[in-house]
Amino acid sequence: MDENLIKRLESAVSRLEALSATGFRSGSVAEEVGDAATDPSIVAYGDLESQYVSRVMSAGEKIGGQVLDVSKVIAEAFSVQKELLVKVKCTQKPEASGLMEFIKPLNEVMAKAYALTEGRRSEFFHHLKTGADSLAALAWIAYTGKDCGMSMPIAHVEESWQTAEFYCNKILVEYRNKDANHVEWAKALKELYVPGLRDYVKSHCPLGPVWSATGKTAGSAPTKAPAPGAPPPPGPPPASLFSSETNKSSSSAPAPKVGMSAVFQEINSGKSVTSGLKKVTADMKTKNRADKSGVVSVAEKEGRAGSPSFSKSGPPKLELQMGRKWVVENQIGRNNLVIDDCDAKQSVYVFGCKNSVLQIQGKVNNITVDKCTKMGVVFKDVVAACEIVNCNGVEVQCQGSAPTISVDNTSGCQLYLSKDSLEASITTAKSSEINVLVPASEADGDWGEHALPQQYIHVYKDGQFVTTPVSHSGN
């Protein structure tokens, strides 16, 4: 117990020295940093690291290799966030541009985690993806209010972990009966976020970080535009966090009220707000009009069904988050969704879309289609895999190459392969009505359709079960 306390004190002293050398040089500010380090919320964060992060590191050391590498990056990310929380205690709340610069160290660590998932797919790909995707939960520190485009901090942590949990569950299934160390690592990582980080945020920062009212002003990012051809800074924060609305609010001229605020302002002004309204006569009432009835025509029904609408589960999204992940969510009735500015380091996550079509015009690292209905996805090349989970009636077309395509818990899936993707490995589980269409050998030939089997016969023979797909007559 004494050794752990000494290690924690030494770690705190080293971090304070680093902060003093980089951003807090004056004596008064150094005193503020020292006070911030003893703040109950900072002490509680240290307990979070010693209780949960240490378990992930311990499990990663037992496995070694790339699992240990991603474990070290996770520990580094939590350490960087602790330093940012110390700075928050003695820094005034910055504007949008200043906030981007403030969380830049955290973005750089996240970019380092995603870099581990790039290149040739390794045997520990699910570990790397779980660790990299889970770090998005640390972005809760960028929450500045209900208009910033993010969920509340507690909800953000839970939602971010749900994305990473997809790959975490794959680890648990794959190593359940093979290696207990991998199972221990996956469980330790889950507990780090839920309940670990979630409960910390709930107890100390439920409405976001508490900035200092009298502290140092955070340095804003330079306003000068970068020279043409210059590379962009690594790991930008989500576009939704720093929208144009936030930038407009920083101008000196007050913005006019809009929406319901403008309505109530006009009502409270004492003006005659009903002066422009027309009086409804008896012949204008619906019950007295011959051209109106309670019957809805078929054409009117089709017109309503064909119009784009919004999902009840949340607002529609099509945005790049943390510079690494394209998120397409809750799109309904949209046939013109396009992602054209992408690269092989980015992934695409499609969730909760219906009656829509998405085109991905470029090579990406990974594509996941989750809980979508009657959704079409057209992509060129994917480095790792295209995964379809929990969907119903989807169509996916590969125009380039894809090493792996997996279909899990899906009913109704049409896969269109190109000549370059005919050697793709297709994995199915708990799915039905899966058809794969391949191009004809002739230039003007028809597509060849192949139904993947969903029924199997198991026969006990020579001391073991032999499994063969069911062959229906006419196939």
Side-chain angles (χ1 to χ4, degrees):
M1 185 68 182
D2 294 338
E3 294 181 359
N4 293 333
L5 181 59
I6 292 173
K7 290 181 179 179
R8 289 177 55 190
L9 290 174
E10 291 177 348
S11 177
V13 171
S14 62
R15 292 194 186 101
L16 289 175
E17 290 175 349
L19 288 173
S20 178
T22 55
F24 300 93
R25 302 185 184 278
S26 65
S28 60
V29 176
E31 292 178 0
E32 292 182 6
V33 174
D35 295 338
T38 59
D39 187 90
S41 63
I42 305 300
V43 175
Y45 196 91
D47 295 338
L48 170 71
E49 289 182 302
S50 61
Q51 181 179 355
Y52 293 102
V53 178
S54 60
R55 283 188 56 197
V56 176
M57 283 296 301
S58 177
E61 290 172 353
K62 295 178 182 178
I63 302 172
Q66 291 181 315
V67 179
L68 179 58
D69 293 340
V70 74
S71 301
K72 290 179 179 179
V73 175
I74 293 171
E76 181 184 357
F78 273 81
S79 177
V80 169
Q81 180 161 91
K82 183 177 181 179
E83 295 176 5
L84 294 179
L85 288 173
V86 173
K87 288 185 178 181
V88 164
K89 294 296 179 181
C90 46
T91 306
Q92 295 183 24
K93 184 177 180 180
E95 298 293 337
S97 58
L99 183 60
M100 291 176 63
E101 188 69 19
F102 183 82
I103 65 174
K104 184 178 179 180
L106 186 60
N107 283 334
E108 291 175 349
V109 180
M110 292 182 180
K112 187 186 300 185
Y114 275 102
L116 296 176
T117 66
E118 299 169 3
R120 188 177 182 86
R121 182 164 178 155
S122 70
E123 60 177 326
F124 301 122
F125 176 77
H126 292 152
H127 299 73
L128 301 179
K129 282 292 292 181
T130 303
D133 288 351
S134 69
L135 291 182
L138 299 182
W140 69 267
I141 196 173
Y143 182 83
T144 56
K146 61 181 180 179
D147 297 327
C148 70
M150 290 178 59
S151 301
M152 296 284 286
I154 300 173
H156 176 79
V157 173
E158 293 176 340
E159 293 168 0
S160 299
W161 171 249
Q162 287 174 3
T163 302
E165 192 173 23
F166 173 78
Y167 293 98
C168 185
N169 289 337
K170 288 181 177 289
I171 300 173
L172 295 175
V173 172
E174 181 179 356
Y175 292 95
R176 180 172 50 192
N177 299 321
K178 291 172 56 178
D179 193 333
N181 291 331
H182 292 266
V183 175
E184 179 185 355
W185 184 87
K187 290 182 177 180
L189 187 62
K190 178 177 181 178
E191 292 176 2
L192 170 61
Y193 293 98
V194 181
L197 182 62
R198 180 198 63 189
D199 289 354
Y200 169 80
V201 174
K202 183 177 181 180
S203 300
H204 299 280
C205 307
L207 301 178
V210 181
W211 300 86
S212 173
T214 58
K216 176 184 176 183
T217 303
S220 300
T223 56
K224 183 179 179 180
S240 59
L241 297 183
F242 309 102
S243 62
S244 58
E245 294 180 2
T246 306
N247 297 332
K248 291 178 182 177
S249 63
S250 62
S251 60
S252 58
K257 293 186 177 181
V258 296
M260 293 306 298
S261 299
V263 175
F264 286 115
Q265 184 181 29
E266 186 175 358
I267 292 175
N268 296 329
S269 64
K271 299 177 181 179
S272 179
V273 295
T274 61
S275 58
L277 300 180
K278 296 181 179 180
K279 181 176 179 60
V280 179
T281 59
D283 61 321
M284 296 172 64
K285 296 180 180 179
T286 303
K287 65 179 181 178
N288 297 330
R289 294 177 60 180
D291 60 335
K292 294 291 182 180
S293 66
V295 180
V296 180
S297 64
V298 176
E300 187 176 353
K301 283 185 178 180
E302 293 178 351
R304 292 178 181 176
S307 60
S309 58
F310 299 101
S311 171
K312 295 181 180 179
S313 59
K317 291 183 181 179
L318 200 165
E319 61 188 17
L320 179 62
Q321 295 184 351
M322 294 295 178
R324 294 288 178 177
K325 182 178 181 180
W326 285 95
V327 175
V328 184
E329 292 184 356
N330 306 319
Q331 300 284 353
I332 298 181
R334 300 289 301 277
N335 296 324
N336 56 350
L337 302 173
V338 178
I339 296 177
D340 53 4
D341 186 15
C342 54
D343 57 50
K345 299 180 181 180
Q346 298 171 345
S347 62
V348 179
Y349 181 68
V350 187
F351 176 81
C353 297
K354 184 177 181 181
N355 295 326
S356 300
V357 177
L358 170 66
Q359 297 183 46
I360 305 172
Q361 299 177 351
K363 179 184 288 187
V364 294
N365 184 269
N366 185 78
I367 300 174
T368 302
V369 185
D370 188 7
K371 291 185 180 178
C372 293
T373 302
K374 296 182 179 180
M375 179 70 183
V377 178
V378 182
F379 66 92
K380 288 188 176 180
D381 299 287
V382 64
V383 177
C386 175
E387 298 172 309
I388 305 162
V389 293
N390 306 320
C391 293
N392 185 13
V394 296
E395 296 185 15
V396 177
Q397 181 176 0
C398 175
Q399 297 177 333
S401 61
T404 304
I405 299 176
S406 64
V407 184
D408 189 6
N409 195 28
T410 294
S411 175
C413 178
Q414 294 267 49
L415 299 176
Y416 295 84
L417 302 182
S418 64
K419 291 184 178 181
D420 295 334
S421 60
L422 291 179
E423 297 182 0
S425 173
I426 302 176
T427 304
T428 63
K430 297 188 295 184
S431 301
S432 61
E433 302 175 30
I434 302 176
N435 295 326
V436 181
L437 291 90
V438 299
S441 56
E442 302 83 6
D444 56 349
D446 295 332
W447 287 74
E449 184 173 0
H450 302 268
L452 300 187
Q454 63 189 56
Q455 294 179 332
Y456 299 89
I457 298 176
H458 310 278
V459 179
Y460 188 76
K461 186 177 181 180
D462 298 332
Q464 61 182 355
F465 277 98
V466 179
T467 302
T468 56
V470 175
S471 178
H472 297 283
S473 60
N475 289 352

